[in-house]
Amino acid sequence: MSFYKKPDTTLWTGRTSDNQLYVHEKIQCIDLEKQNIPKAIQKSFAILGYQCDEGVDRNKGRIGAINGPNAIRKMMASLSNHFSEGVTIIDTGNIICENNDLEKTQEVCAEKVLQLQKHQYFTLLLGGGHDIAYAHYNGLKKAIPNNTIGIINLDAHFDLRKMIDKPNSGTPFYQIAKENRHFSYLCLGIQKESNNKELFTTAHELGVQYILNTDFNLQNTKYITSILNAFIASVDTIYLTIDMDGFSSPYAPGVSAPSPFGFSPDIVLEVIRHICNSDKLISVDVAELNPIYDIDSATARLAARLIYYIITYIDNNTIYA
């Protein structure tokens, strides 16, 4: 079992043009096990899917996130291409979970992240359950072992549950904290209703910084920016993870754990722009999209736009020769 599936070219379809006017026309599909990764020129991005909801199932959530990566790709495909000519975007396929083996799936995912990072690609991972974060972080840690990695999590949940038996979608950041001497973790959008008292206690014991969902809005931009600035200054690099269930359910109905009191896209875009402007962001993932419960692909569209704008912001900050 390889736990890897090459990219599906049929997902990247839409209107056609003679000048790469649409995102699907700019995408290059690369089989990581049979093709050489193109040399990174200027700013290069690699999309990698994480087709796994075993962690969600173990965490007693609504399964279906396994179909998230391809749903996002479909929504990205038809978007207009306003990226610079110097931007390269490759789709490198999906990590797949075989025989409910979450641990091996995470191991293989980390290896692919390492492979892409070593080729100087900015990695964009599409989930899948939030257990993607454990795999993603381990790949980054291997790629830049001498750098301190700050984790910024846009989420309703800490995902700091202690491992009782096996890891799941609720344990990734606790695992990271316990396995690494340095642990810098900032959560934006935390909901008291979705995190019990023990999780808040764990967060305090581990030195986790967080902003509650009631304070995470445009009216508090100055406060949020001050927290971000201090956190970014304290680390060498930033890994951003976006859990779609952090958004209010009218924006993101298709998630494993919906909430009517989540955050809105406007503050998220402001935060993303600020993080991109720091020039410390090296990798991003989007987690917990569940197409089974989506309405008119609203959540998949939102996830696709987030990836689109991350590429846009980084592109705009890149100086081309």
Side-chain angles (χ1 to χ4, degrees):
M1 295 180 291
S2 70
F3 290 82
Y4 172 77
K5 187 175 182 180
K6 68 179 183 179
D8 182 355
T9 59
T10 65
L11 297 171
W12 298 105
T13 59
R15 293 176 183 270
T16 58
S17 69
D18 296 325
N19 197 28
Q20 292 192 346
L21 295 180
Y22 304 100
V23 170
H24 72 89
E25 296 177 309
K26 192 172 182 66
I27 298 290
Q28 301 177 51
C29 290
I30 303 296
D31 184 339
L32 292 178
E33 297 188 345
K34 294 184 178 180
Q35 295 175 267
N36 293 325
I37 299 174
K39 182 179 179 181
I41 301 174
Q42 303 293 354
K43 183 58 66 174
S44 300
F45 300 85
I47 296 170
L48 177 66
Y50 180 80
Q51 281 194 314
C52 178
D53 58 11
E54 171 64 17
V56 176
D57 191 28
R58 292 182 185 182
N59 199 28
K60 298 178 173 56
R62 306 194 299 183
I63 62 171
I66 190 172
N67 297 314
N70 288 347
I72 297 172
R73 287 183 173 98
K74 288 180 181 178
M75 294 302 106
M76 283 187 65
S78 61
L79 298 178
S80 295
N81 172 25
H82 289 281
F83 307 134
S84 302
E85 289 187 11
V87 168
T88 298
I89 308 174
I90 62 174
D91 179 5
T92 61
N94 290 327
I95 305 302
I96 57 176
C97 185
E98 298 276 13
N99 295 332
N100 303 322
D101 192 344
L102 174 62
E103 293 80 0
K104 182 62 177 179
T105 303
Q106 292 174 317
E107 180 183 325
V108 173
C109 183
E111 291 171 358
K112 298 303 183 188
V113 170
L114 171 61
Q115 181 182 3
L116 293 167
Q117 285 279 328
K118 285 297 186 183
H119 280 81
Q120 305 301 310
Y121 275 79
F122 185 104
T123 36
L124 296 165
L125 273 62
L126 313 178
H130 214 169
D131 39 281
I132 189 176
Y134 179 72
H136 196 166
Y137 181 89
N138 281 336
L140 295 175
K141 183 177 68 173
K142 292 177 181 177
I144 48 171
N146 298 321
N147 284 26
T148 56
I149 303 173
I151 305 168
I152 299 179
N153 181 20
L154 292 161
D155 198 348
H157 308 91
F158 284 119
D159 288 337
L160 286 169
R161 292 186 182 277
K162 298 177 181 179
M163 267 202 332
I164 304 301
D165 181 20
K166 295 181 178 180
N168 58 56
S169 63
T171 65
F173 302 109
Y174 185 81
Q175 293 173 261
I176 293 170
K178 290 302 179 180
E179 294 176 10
N180 295 275
R181 182 176 60 84
H182 179 88
F183 181 61
S184 293
Y185 183 35
L186 171 63
C187 299
L188 304 176
I190 291 296
Q191 298 183 23
K192 284 189 173 181
E193 303 89 341
S194 302
N195 298 270
N196 63 41
K197 292 180 180 179
E198 290 183 354
L199 291 170
F200 275 91
T201 298
T202 299
H204 287 296
E205 290 174 348
L206 295 174
V208 175
Q209 300 178 58
Y210 62 88
I211 297 177
L212 295 174
N213 63 311
T214 49
D215 297 319
F216 190 53
N217 51 59
L218 281 182
Q219 288 76 15
N220 285 324
T221 300
K222 186 175 181 179
Y223 167 69
I224 295 167
T225 299
S226 68
I227 298 295
L228 274 174
N229 286 341
F231 183 83
I232 291 170
S234 70
V235 296
D236 297 322
T237 53
I238 297 292
Y239 152 43
L240 174 64
T241 178
I242 306 172
D243 191 321
M244 297 304 294
D245 70 23
F247 287 95
S248 182
S249 48
Y251 299 110
V255 294
S256 300
S259 170
F261 291 116
F263 42 70
S264 61
D266 51 8
I267 186 59
V268 169
L269 288 178
E270 183 63 31
V271 165
I272 289 174
R273 180 163 46 244
H274 195 78
I275 295 171
C276 289
N277 286 341
S278 74
D279 290 329
K280 289 189 176 183
L281 184 64
I282 60 168
S283 199
V284 175
D285 62 47
V286 175
E288 302 282 356
L289 167 62
N290 190 328
I292 293 175
Y293 300 98
D294 213 357
I295 300 173
D296 194 27
S297 299
T299 316
R301 294 178 197 276
L302 176 57
R305 295 295 179 98
L306 293 173
I307 297 296
Y308 182 93
Y309 280 107
I310 288 167
I311 297 174
T312 298
Y313 295 148
I314 294 173
D315 181 24
N316 289 342
N317 285 338
T318 302
I319 298 175
Y320 294 94

